[in-house]
């Protein structure tokens, strides 16, 4: 059943879940601006569809679909101009104590194949099960699990000596 | 968030890479984005969209569909009757008379006129007279025969009647 979204409820949900949704949206789009557009549309659409707090898997799936739609739309009318001079939004909250390690880890995550990175993001920061990841990304369950395993292996190889 | 998935090959706590990944926290939403998203909060009316579709379905589409079905049935019945009428026109005409009579409150034993026609038999001048307005009129004796066909409501039996009618009519004369 649906109920009226109170401003507090909406704000709390945004504060709690917004960062991981935005992280995924950022990975699915070319620019921060696109990510914000996709994020807003997906959050509102998911909430409307569910009539209440939507399950995370639904929001991730909606973000993914919206990002694909936007990419197709951008392709059809030419590339969207990049915003010059605007610093890229950080993917992760800065860790003061292990800033260097975090930077290396973030770079390693960014350098993963998109398919691997998507699974890692949904698994680690999205909190989804492999079954949910398979549903969101449209790949078989075993493929989702394999991609996660390969991603960890790639990260392990790239970060050899960095992490104890 | 750090819940063990049955498909997960390893416990994050046992894998330094997975452990490091889980320690990373996605960056918080910046204030401008937070303000923008807060303003985009779906309102009650928007949330009711899904329900309103159900209401539209119940209030409009279902009655419309029912009406359409009824129209199709009525059309089929009328078409069926029309086809029967085409195949057997005489029988059908009789039935229609009977139905019309019944709906008009006519008893089954009553006679209903079906067809009537007047035929002119003769016209005979009787004379000329002057009216009070000093205009001359020729008086004509006109004889008609009225043929009438009636049908019994009960069994559709037809009867023919012929009645002679005489009219005496003045015909104005023009003087030159």
């Amino acid at each position: 059943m649906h109920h009226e979204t109170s401003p507090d409820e909406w704000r709390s949900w945004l504060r709690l879940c917004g960062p991981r949704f935005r992280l995924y949206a950022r990975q699915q789009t070319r620019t921060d601006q696109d990510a914000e557009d996709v994020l807003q549309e997906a959050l509102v659409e998911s909430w409307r569809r569910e009539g209440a707090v939507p399950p995370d898997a639904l929001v991730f799936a909606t973000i993914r679909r919206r990002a694909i739609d936007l990419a197709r739309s951008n392709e059809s009318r030419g590339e969207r101009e990049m915003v010059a001079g605007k610093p890229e939004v950080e993917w992760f909250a800065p860790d003061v104590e292990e800033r260097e390690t975090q930077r290396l880890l973030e770079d390693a995550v960014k350098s993963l194949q998109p398919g691997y990175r998507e699974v890692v993001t949904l698994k680690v920061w999205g909190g989804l099960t492999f079954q949910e990841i398979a549903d969101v990304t449209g790949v078989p369950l075993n493929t989702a699990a394999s991609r996660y395993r390969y991603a960890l292996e790639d990260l392990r190889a790239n970060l050899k000596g960095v992490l104890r | 968030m750090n819940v063990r998935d049955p498909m997960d090959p390893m416990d994050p706590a046992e894998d330094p890479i997975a452990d490091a990944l889980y320690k990373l926290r996605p960056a918080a939403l910046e204030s401008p984005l937070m303000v923008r998203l807060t303003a985009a909060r779906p309102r009650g009316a928007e949330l009711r969209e899904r329900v309103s579709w159900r209401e539209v379905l119940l209030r409009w589409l279902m009655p419309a569909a029912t009406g359409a079905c009824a129209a199709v049935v009525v059309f089929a019945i009328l078409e069926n009757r029309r086809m029967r009428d085409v195949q057997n026109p005489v029988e059908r005409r009789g039935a229609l008379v009977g139905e019309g009579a019944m709906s008009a409150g006519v008893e089954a034993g009553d006679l209903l006129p079906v067809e009537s026609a007047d035929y002119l038999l003769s016209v005979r001048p009787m004379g000329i007279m002057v009216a009070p307005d000093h205009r001359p009129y020729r008086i004509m004796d006109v004889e008609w025969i009225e043929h009438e066909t009636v049908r019994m409501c009960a069994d559709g039996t037809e009867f023919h009647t012929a009645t002679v009618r005489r009219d005496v009519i003045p015909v104005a004369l023009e003087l030159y």
Side-chain angles (χ1 to χ4, degrees), chain B residues 7 10 14 17 22-23 28-29 35 53 62 89 101 120 135 150 158 176:
Chain B
M7 288 293 291
M10 60 200 83
E14 296 169 2
I17 294 292
Y22 275 101
K23 280 180 182 167
L29 303 182
V35 168
W53 269 108
M62 285 186 65
L120 184 62
R135 296 189 62 181
V150 294
E158 289 186 352
Y176 299 98

Side-chain angles (χ1 to χ4, degrees), chain B residues 100-127:
Chain B
M102 292 304 175
S103 63
V106 179
E107 294 297 322
D110 287 352
L111 295 174
L112 284 175
V114 174
E115 185 180 307
S116 66
D118 292 355
Y119 300 98
L120 184 62
L121 287 182
S122 66
V123 179
R124 189 168 57 86
M126 295 175 68

Side-chain angles (χ1 to χ4, degrees), chain A residues 20-162:
Chain A
R20 49 202 170 105
F21 293 146
R22 199 268 295 271
L23 174 66
Y24 183 62
R26 182 63 193 87
Q27 294 181 17
Q28 296 296 308
T29 51
R30 289 177 53 83
T31 66
D32 290 333
Q33 183 59 48
D34 283 352
E36 291 180 3
D37 292 346
V38 164
L39 178 66
Q40 177 177 332
E41 290 166 1
L43 295 182
V44 173
E45 182 189 326
S46 311
W47 197 295
R48 276 186 193 158
R49 185 181 296 179
E50 196 62 20
V53 178
D56 289 355
L58 173 65
V59 181
F60 283 119
T62 310
I63 288 172
R64 191 173 201 274
R65 181 171 47 76
R66 289 274 185 175
I68 291 171
D69 290 345
L70 180 66
R72 284 180 184 151
S73 152
N74 284 347
E75 272 174 24
S76 66
R77 60 183 162 82
E79 293 284 316
R80 177 182 276 207
E81 287 180 14
M82 305 287 282
V83 181
K86 194 175 177 184
E88 192 184 356
V89 172
E90 293 295 331
W91 283 21
F92 300 101
D95 184 337
V96 179
E97 291 179 3
E98 300 193 36
R99 185 181 295 260
E100 184 57 21
T101 305
Q102 178 181 334
R103 191 185 60 76
L104 291 172
L105 193 56
E106 185 172 332
D107 288 346
V109 169
K110 285 181 178 175
S111 68
L112 285 173
Q113 289 181 37
Y116 292 180
R117 192 174 60 221
E118 181 177 28
V119 171
V120 168
T121 302
L122 292 173
K123 179 85 182 94
V124 177
W125 301 291
L128 301 189
T129 64
F130 283 119
Q131 183 59 62
E132 289 172 324
I133 293 170
D135 293 339
V136 168
T137 57
V139 299
L141 173 63
N142 286 332
T143 304
S146 301
R147 286 182 180 178
Y148 179 70
R149 199 168 56 248
Y150 295 146
L152 290 190
E153 285 173 9
D154 283 358
L155 289 173
R156 197 171 293 117
N158 289 339
L159 297 168
K160 192 178 283 182
V162 175

Side-chain angles (χ1 to χ4, degrees), chain B:
Chain B
M1 196 150 45
N2 199 352
V3 178
R4 183 75 197 272
D5 189 332
M7 288 293 291
D8 200 334
M10 60 200 83
D11 189 339
E14 296 169 2
D15 181 358
I17 294 292
D19 184 47
L21 290 176
Y22 275 101
K23 280 180 182 167
L24 283 180
R25 287 176 297 106
L29 303 182
E30 304 79 32
S31 294
L33 179 58
M34 192 66 188
V35 168
R36 174 183 169 180
L37 294 178
T38 303
R41 173 176 67 94
R43 302 301 199 274
E46 294 168 342
L47 284 174
R48 276 192 287 277
E49 250 179 26
R50 188 172 58 166
V51 176
S52 69
W53 269 108
R54 192 180 306 145
E55 285 171 5
V56 167
L57 187 73
L58 291 175
R59 187 173 297 175
W60 299 107
L61 295 185
M62 285 186 65
T66 308
C69 288
V72 168
V73 169
V74 168
F75 175 78
I77 291 171
L78 291 177
E79 185 64 12
N80 189 31
R81 281 189 179 186
R82 193 183 68 81
M83 292 303 292
R84 227 173 38 203
D85 199 15
V86 168
Q87 287 165 1
N88 196 349
V90 175
E91 182 189 324
R92 184 66 201 142
R93 205 160 48 238
L96 282 176
V97 170
E99 285 163 9
M102 292 304 175
S103 63
V106 179
E107 294 297 322
D110 287 352
L111 295 174
L112 284 175
V114 174
E115 185 180 307
S116 66
D118 292 355
Y119 300 98
L120 184 62
L121 287 182
S122 66
V123 179
R124 189 168 57 86
M126 295 175 68
I128 295 176
M129 61 170 286
V130 178
D133 61 356
H134 304 293
R135 296 189 62 181
Y137 289 87
R138 186 187 297 279
I139 306 302
M140 307 292 289
D141 179 10
V142 184
E143 195 174 31
W144 300 86
I145 184 164
E146 296 176 347
H147 279 276
E148 197 163 55
T149 304
V150 294
R151 177 176 289 136
M152 293 285 290
C153 286
D155 55 6
T157 309
E158 289 186 352
F159 296 96
H160 300 282
T161 60
T163 311
V164 176
R165 189 183 83 231
R166 291 185 70 178
D167 292 331
V168 177
I169 55 173
V171 179
L173 294 177
E174 293 291 333
L175 295 178
Y176 299 98

